[in-house]
Amino acid sequence: MEESGYESVLCVKPDVHVYRIPPRATNRGYRAAEWQLDQPSWSGRLRITAKGQMAYIKLEDRTSGELFAQAPVDQFPGTAVESVTDSSRYFVIRIEDGNGRRAFIGIGFGDRGDAFDFNVALQDHFKWVKQQCEFAKQAQNPDQGPKLDLGFKEGQTIKLNIANMKKKEGAAGNPRARPASTGGLSLLPPPPGGKTSTLIPPPGEQLAVGGSLVQPAVAPSSDQLPARPSQAQAGSSSDLSTVFPHVTSGKALPRLGQRKEDEALLSWPVFGA
């Protein structure tokens, strides 16, 4: 992967101390207890930058920003940065002067959180470098990458649990179908134990009763009723006889009880006849 032309800052810590370390006596690692921790050789600011795949640990002056030492890091964890065995706040880094000369010095942080950030910044950078290398390889050879196989292996089975697929025992049957009328008016069945109400459909429609269609009776309109006699016709006996045939001309209508009284008088015996 080609290196980018710009430099990015990964981490900045304003307080770091530099220590002279004795040569390593064994392969067990470095121990911070062997350093003179109360007498640091230099104190200043630490800055981690990245340019392409390389990371750089730079020790700079707090005020002027002048570079004191620089440690190029091409791999982490590796020989360029090592942790001590007896503390999490101290590390051993390999510095270079640009002329090929190298030296190992010890650095330490007063705060444990600063040491944690220093460690995580280097881990994240080289994790990103590893992912970029894998993407570049897959782009060059796309067929060599792992393929996703979603098929069933030999003898592999699955189990599906789908609820409400079987009909429960004792479930109610199909609801009773309602009779549909051809006139576009459907009647709901009467409630149990209630009285049936009569619904008069609109004119021109038929009513469904008992499965048969019945034409409802239509009241006569006002123009079909017989004409009422006017006041002038009410005084003439001839007109009254036309409307009421049992009324004779010049005679008054008998009362309802008068006929029975007359029949009773005629049935009495006549004495002295």
Side-chain angles (χ1 to χ4, degrees):
M1 187 178 64
E2 298 181 358
E3 294 186 0
S4 59
Y6 63 92
E7 186 179 48
S8 60
V9 178
L10 304 180
C11 178
V12 176
K13 293 301 174 182
D15 190 12
V16 64
H17 306 286
V18 175
Y19 304 92
R20 295 181 181 270
I21 61 176
R24 183 186 300 184
T26 62
N27 294 329
R28 296 181 180 179
Y30 294 98
R31 298 182 69 251
E34 299 176 354
W35 307 346
Q36 296 178 0
L37 300 179
D38 55 344
Q39 298 177 2
S41 300
W42 180 86
S43 297
R45 179 181 67 185
L46 179 141
R47 192 162 59 99
I48 303 177
T49 62
K51 187 176 182 181
Q53 296 183 6
M54 292 292 296
Y56 298 91
I57 301 175
K58 297 183 179 182
L59 303 176
E60 301 172 344
D61 186 78
R62 294 192 186 100
T63 307
S64 62
E66 182 182 359
L67 182 64
F68 172 75
Q70 176 176 279
V73 183
D74 57 354
Q75 185 180 0
F76 182 80
T79 58
V81 180
E82 296 182 38
S83 300
V84 298
T85 58
D86 58 347
S87 177
S88 61
R89 295 187 294 116
Y90 298 93
F91 302 87
V92 175
I93 63 175
R94 185 184 61 190
I95 60 176
E96 297 181 3
D97 61 354
N99 297 324
R101 292 183 299 180
R102 300 178 179 177
F104 290 91
I105 61 174
I107 62 172
F109 300 94
D111 188 3
R112 197 176 302 273
D114 292 341
F116 176 80
D117 295 340
F118 170 81
N119 199 9
V120 170
L122 292 174
Q123 288 180 356
D124 291 345
H125 170 72
F126 287 99
K127 185 184 297 183
W128 172 81
V129 170
K130 183 178 180 180
Q131 292 177 352
Q132 294 299 318
C133 293
E134 293 178 355
F135 293 156
K137 292 179 181 179
Q138 292 180 3
Q140 294 177 358
N141 301 316
D143 298 335
Q144 294 182 0
K147 296 182 180 180
L148 184 62
D149 185 12
L150 298 179
F152 288 102
K153 298 180 181 180
E154 185 177 357
Q156 185 179 5
T157 59
I158 60 174
K159 183 179 179 181
L160 298 178
N161 186 10
I162 303 178
N164 299 328
M165 290 297 294
K166 296 182 180 180
K167 186 177 180 180
K168 296 181 180 179
E169 297 181 359
N174 296 331
R176 184 175 56 184
R178 297 178 180 178
S181 61
T182 58
L185 181 64
S186 59
L187 300 178
L188 296 176
K195 295 183 180 181
T196 304
S197 61
T198 304
L199 179 63
I200 300 177
E205 294 190 3
Q206 295 179 348
L207 183 64
V209 179
S212 60
L213 301 178
V214 179
Q215 183 68 29
V218 181
S221 59
S222 59
D223 54 353
Q224 297 178 358
L225 294 176
R228 297 177 58 183
S230 59
Q231 262 185 349
Q233 294 177 353
S236 121
S237 60
S238 59
D239 296 333
L240 291 177
S241 61
T242 303
V243 180
F244 303 100
H246 57 277
V247 179
T248 57
S249 177
K251 296 183 179 180
L253 292 176
R255 292 180 299 173
L256 294 178
Q258 185 177 0
R259 184 176 178 181
K260 293 183 179 182
E261 294 177 358
D262 294 343
E263 291 179 356
L265 292 176
L266 293 176
S267 63
W268 288 353
V270 180
F271 297 97

